[in-house]
Amino acid sequence: MAATPRKNKTARRILAAGAGLVTVGALVAAMPSAGAAGDRSGGGHGHGHDKGQGRLVDVQLLSFNDLHGNLEPPTGSSGRLTHLNEDGTTRTIEGVGGVEYLATHLRQARQGHPYSITAAAGDMIGASPLVSGLFHDEPTIEALNRLDLDVTSVGNHEFDEGARELARMQNGGCHPTEGCFEKGKRFQGADFPYLAANVTNEKSGKPLLDPYFVWERNGVRIGFIGVTLEGTADIVSAEGIKGLKFGDEVETINKYAKVLERKGVKSIVALLHEGGLPASGAYNYDCDSPGPGNGISGPIVDIAKNVSPQVDALVTGHTHQAYACTIPDPAGKPRTVTSAASFGRLYTDTTLTYDRRTKDIVRTAVASANHVVSRDVKPARDMTRLIDRWKTLAAPIANRPVGHIAADIENPIDAYEKPLGDLIADAQLEGMAPADKGGAQLALMNPGGIRAPLSHKASGAEGVGVVTYGEAYTVQPFTNMMTAVDLTGAQLVTALQQQVSGPNQAAPKILQVSKGFTYTLDMTKTGADRVVVSSVRLNGEPIDPAKTYRVAMNEFLSGGGDGFTVLKEHKNKLVGASDLDVFTAYLTAHSSASAPLPVPAADRVTVIK
């Protein structure tokens, strides 16, 4: 099915002025009026024929989340899924994802569905592989336009380069410092609205972006409210979001549900960049199955239980998990809550049965399921051409060899200590250890900053085992600057405890540590007690609470990111090279074709379960 023409962008409301932003194009400083804000025709896609004129109309909602600019098929563990068999065993599905295949699956899924909407729940861009990241994610926005995405919420990663750059993603225009990447071509921006109802100007209270969007066809109206997680400010660079406030997700969704209700829009879907943790990592796990240890946990549970019953479904993200669950609303009525993992490996197909008389969704008829984006379908030719075009531009940089590995060095999502995490922490320690570079004695790396594995298989013509700059970039795409700081032994122990307590208690964020730094995690206990303090050692010596240690970490961590507030208490900060530069330098210095880098043992953190 061919891609449909791009929608008329003149109908789109441009971003509201926030945080003193300089946006490309017009700015609308006022809150949306009751008569016009966020209303758009959703009839531009033309999927299928004009059917469904009876009282009940099945509306197809196709959704995905956390694409992170993965245009090319993701590799290694990032390109796998776990399938749960009927007998309770599991099997691994290899080779899933890739926007060429996602496009084909979505286009096939839309066939025969005249009422079809495609929506996303944030992190479409940010932490992207080089083919998109090198060009500030213009390629991904172009791909999403071709995918006929109708609407998305923002995620935290949409703010990686700050609110000004997010404005450019929406409105178009060439990069403010690097200009236009293709001669004679100006970046057009997103054809779909980015929604961020809970992101407001601290002073004026006005929203940065549209808070909601109304899709309409033949009298069928579905409202979408988009929010990102309230904690976004804790996990992105402070400078890029200066002057912005990230509000409570539930309060914001409920506020705009009332606005939509007053406008006569009774069918409402929340696009929420916050998620949960199902009991199983299998994409087809039934998280509604009863019994102890089953179901879903995490922030989305409390959110879903408190979001207004006016909202008929929640499309979520952020945790990179796969689920299609039922969580009761405040009235006790079942409501579907979905997430489609990450990197374009899955999409969710939800049927919303719309009642023309009540103008609402018949909740009992809502059905959702996640579908694998397999690569056994014909790739979409327009996406292949798009990828090839941008890869040609990136090739001189991307294809440069920087190292050699003996086997896959993985970044498993469900492992506390990751082989790739050990490698990166060692690289950061080595890069910051010289006295003139910071004198670091150990290094800490945030697990969320590691975006992909290193694959032994050749991705192009570079050869088996060769690591290219592009592959290294895909692993560490943020280009955070490295720092070396003073921390006391007591602060170090507190940092370890913050991995598994406070905001990280429900979903631990285990720091990756450099060689020589060891300790034990006792996961049979709760909160900070999970860290066995007496086990924390550096080069075999117990950590002295009163002693000062020089610690290497990226600026995100030294700024207290990911809930590690104690790391902000550091002293004597020295800024070094970027994390990507120290990583590639380490690969080059420690490997060759005849002596490739072995897989780290991942034996620094002892875990008791």
Side-chain angles (χ1 to χ4, degrees), residues 131 232-233 337 443 462 469 517 550 570 578:
V131 73
T232 292
V337 180
E462 77 275 14
Y469 181 85
F517 189 73
R550 289 293 282 171
H570 65 260
S578 75

Side-chain angles (χ1 to χ4, degrees), residues 317-387:
H318 187 57
T319 58
H320 290 202
Q321 301 294 310
Y323 47 85
C325 298
T326 301
I327 300 175
D329 68 16
K333 193 176 180 182
R335 179 166 55 191
T336 188
V337 180
T338 68
S339 175
S342 60
F343 306 152
R345 294 175 293 164
L346 292 173
Y347 71 91
T348 310
D349 192 334
T350 301
T351 300
L352 301 171
T353 299
Y354 182 92
D355 187 325
R356 286 184 179 275
R357 184 176 65 81
T358 64
K359 299 181 181 179
D360 208 348
I361 299 299
V362 181
R363 283 266 206 98
T364 54
V366 173
S368 293
N370 278 318
H371 298 272
V372 176
V373 177
S374 62
R375 300 177 198 163
D376 58 359
V377 297
K378 190 174 181 180
R381 287 182 295 177
D382 58 333
M383 292 299 182
T384 304
R385 289 193 297 268
L386 182 152
I387 292 169

